[in-house]
Amino acid sequence: MYKNREKLHRPGDADSDWQAAEQIVQSPIQRLLLRGNSQLIARLNPSTYQILKGGVWDAPKWALTGLLVKLPKAEWVKLLAVPLAVAVAGTIITRNFQREAEQNRILKEYFTLLETFTFERELLTQPLDSGVVILARGRTVTALRELDRDRREQLFAFLRASDLATIAAEEPADKSAQSPDTATPNAEETEVLTGETIQNPDELAENPEAADENAAPIPEPVISFRDQDLSEMDLRNVNLSNLDFPFTNFREANLEGTNFNDANLQNAILWGASLQKAYLWNTDLRDSSLSKANLQDASLWNANLQKAYLGEANLRNAMLWNANLQSAILRNANLQGAELQQANLQDANLGQNLISLEQTNLQDTNLGGANLQNAMLWNANLQSAILRNANLQGAELQQANLQDADLQDANLEFVNLAGADLRRVSYLTEEQLAEAILCGTKLPDYIELDGNRDCNTP
């Protein structure tokens, strides 16, 4: 400042230089102006500098320094922040508009493509052109990957409304129209008349797998998601009911609250997927992989989980009324508080690692042949449950409700039956209770063992 004053022959002294310097130090903008001013003075002679100063320097100096110096620091910070905020907001709004326009473009192009496939390449004409079908399915998944969740919902709604992706309903037989004279002959009569061996309906009821094998296959919809990769996709609360997802990869997908009612998820991969509060009524989940899936509070009424893998799955408070869990694997699954009335867990494997079924409602549940080794069944409701040939070795059944339960040939070795009421249990023998823990246990009249036999056993 002293050198600048001396070169331009300005009046002043050391005190005035110090006062000006103190103001400049407090302002980043004035420091920048001083640096530029000093470089200009060093390169120009005094007369040339005075000419440029008036038109080029004083105006911006007054605009940028004079105004800001007169304002408190907080005020000029706010003043500078306003245009910056406007610029940032404008950029965000512009990007949002661009994103919305891009999303609408993707969805519109998809709809146009399906229209072209339908009318120009005869997508729906029987027999279906496999090449066109494969292309349509691939473009559907590509669009889903590019779209946000709201537009994914619109895409699925379109597919469902157009019947391009919905599963064909099975036509029930009209049994009411049959008269006694025209009734279908039984298996024995059919074999005599036709020479063909027809399986007995009673046998089919006992062996549902045989019934499935004999059933006519349901044709796949045009837009099926068979073998498609929808992993890690956000499909929360989207309506996917009655759609076809066999062998589909939903690994770690967000499916919270998603509606899968009547959908086909046979052999689907749902490892680690979030299905909390999802709707899975009448859903076909046979042979599906649900390892570590979160099904807490999910509704699985009448769902078919035959041979499904549910290892370490969270089924806490899940509603599984009338669900088919035959031969399912539930090792280390959390079923605490689950509703399993009339569910079929025949031959299910619940593992050997203290699975928790405390206070679980298992009323009328079929657990025939199920592996319940070391299961925690304190206060569980097993009223009228079928436990024939079930493995209950080491299970904890304190205070459990076993009224009218069927325990024929069940393995009760080392089972803790303290406080349990077994007076109305069916097919119970003294041999079954030989190694069980009895303390305060109420036994049927025909069992001559002491219900307090093990109260003093450490």
Side-chain angles (χ1 to χ4, degrees), residues 230-244:
L230 302 180
S231 59
E232 300 181 4
M233 191 172 286
D234 184 359
L235 293 167
R236 288 170 296 162
N237 303 309
V238 175
N239 186 356
L240 303 177
S241 61
N242 206 38
L243 298 184
D244 198 45

Side-chain angles (χ1 to χ4, degrees), residues 281-345:
W281 290 21
N282 301 306
T283 305
D284 188 351
L285 286 154
R286 284 175 293 170
D287 297 292
S288 59
S289 299
L290 287 147
S291 176
K292 298 183 180 180
N294 183 6
L295 288 149
Q296 183 170 342
D297 298 306
S299 181
L300 292 127
W301 179 82
N302 207 41
N304 189 350
L305 289 149
Q306 188 175 356
K307 295 185 179 179
Y309 186 87
L310 290 147
E312 299 183 67
N314 180 13
L315 288 155
R316 186 182 179 93
N317 300 322
M319 197 274 280
L320 288 147
W321 291 359
N322 206 43
N324 181 11
L325 286 152
Q326 187 176 4
S327 303
I329 297 173
L330 291 143
R331 284 196 291 264
N332 302 318
N334 182 2
L335 284 157
Q336 188 170 358
E339 296 285 340
L340 284 148
Q341 291 98 310
Q342 299 180 0
N344 181 7
L345 281 93

Side-chain angles (χ1 to χ4, degrees), residues 372 374 377 391-398 402 411-418 432-433 435-438 453-454:
L372 293 161
N374 298 321
L377 288 153
N391 182 11
L392 287 156
Q393 185 178 19
E396 299 286 342
L397 281 157
Q398 295 98 307
L402 289 154
N411 181 1
L412 301 176
E413 189 177 11
F414 308 120
V415 173
N416 190 341
L417 291 163
Q432 287 174 280
L433 296 170
E435 301 294 333
I437 299 172
L438 306 176
R453 180 188 65 190
D454 304 305

Side-chain angles (χ1 to χ4, degrees), residues 142-168:
T142 301
L144 285 171
R145 283 283 174 200
E146 295 175 346
L147 293 171
D148 58 25
R149 186 171 60 85
D150 291 338
R151 286 172 180 81
R152 286 171 184 166
E153 188 168 8
Q154 293 176 32
L155 189 150
F156 280 117
F158 165 77
L159 292 176
R160 198 168 47 256
S162 62
D163 286 333
L164 284 168
T166 51
I167 302 169

Side-chain angles (χ1 to χ4, degrees), residues 15-263:
D15 290 337
S16 62
D17 289 344
W18 277 111
Q19 290 176 3
E22 288 176 353
Q23 291 182 345
I24 291 171
V25 167
Q26 294 176 1
S27 171
I29 295 175
Q30 289 195 59
R31 289 202 301 271
L32 290 173
L33 293 173
L34 175 63
R35 187 177 297 115
N37 192 14
S38 300
Q39 293 175 358
L40 190 62
I41 293 170
R43 287 172 171 77
L44 300 175
N45 59 49
S47 59
T48 306
Y49 172 77
Q50 292 295 342
I51 293 171
L52 292 173
K53 176 177 177 294
V56 178
W57 183 257
D58 284 345
K61 182 180 178 182
W62 169 253
L64 293 172
T65 61
L67 177 62
L68 295 177
V69 168
K70 294 178 183 296
L71 291 172
K73 185 176 180 181
E75 293 299 322
W76 63 257
V77 169
K78 292 178 182 178
L79 186 64
L80 290 175
V82 170
L84 179 62
V86 171
V88 172
T91 302
I92 293 172
I93 291 171
T94 301
R95 288 181 179 175
N96 284 340
F97 276 124
Q98 291 173 343
R99 189 181 299 112
E100 290 291 310
E102 177 67 9
Q103 290 286 299
N104 290 331
R105 181 192 65 79
I106 294 169
L107 194 60
K108 183 179 178 181
E109 284 185 358
Y110 173 74
F111 291 153
T112 302
L113 179 72
L114 279 193
E115 183 179 348
T116 302
F117 284 167
T118 301
F119 295 107
E120 295 183 15
R121 302 189 62 175
E122 299 180 339
L123 178 63
L124 302 177
T125 302
Q126 297 292 339
L128 296 175
D129 185 333
S130 59
V132 178
V133 169
I134 291 170
L135 185 57
R137 292 177 181 181
R139 291 299 293 270
T140 300
V141 174
T142 301
L144 285 171
R145 283 283 174 200
E146 295 175 346
L147 293 171
D148 58 25
R149 186 171 60 85
D150 291 338
R151 286 172 180 81
R152 286 171 184 166
E153 188 168 8
Q154 293 176 32
L155 189 150
F156 280 117
F158 165 77
L159 292 176
R160 198 168 47 256
S162 62
D163 286 333
L164 284 168
T166 51
I167 302 169
E170 295 181 88
E171 294 184 5
D174 187 6
K175 296 181 180 179
S176 60
Q178 292 182 339
S179 66
D181 295 332
T182 60
T184 302
N186 58 34
E188 186 176 334
E189 292 169 343
T190 303
E191 186 173 356
V192 171
L193 293 172
T194 66
E196 297 179 359
T197 302
I198 304 297
Q199 195 159 4
N200 192 309
D202 294 334
E203 294 177 6
L204 291 177
E206 294 175 1
N207 187 4
E209 290 186 32
D212 291 337
E213 291 172 1
N214 293 335
I218 299 173
E220 267 189 3
V222 175
I223 305 297
S224 170
F225 293 90
R226 173 182 289 272
D227 294 312
Q228 299 296 338
D229 183 7
L230 302 180
S231 59
E232 300 181 4
M233 191 172 286
D234 184 359
L235 293 167
R236 288 170 296 162
N237 303 309
V238 175
N239 186 356
L240 303 177
S241 61
N242 206 38
L243 298 184
D244 198 45
F245 297 101
F247 297 93
T248 303
N249 183 5
F250 283 106
R251 187 168 186 166
E252 296 182 354
N254 188 345
L255 302 167
E256 292 183 16
T258 302
N259 182 353
F260 278 113
N261 290 348
D262 299 301

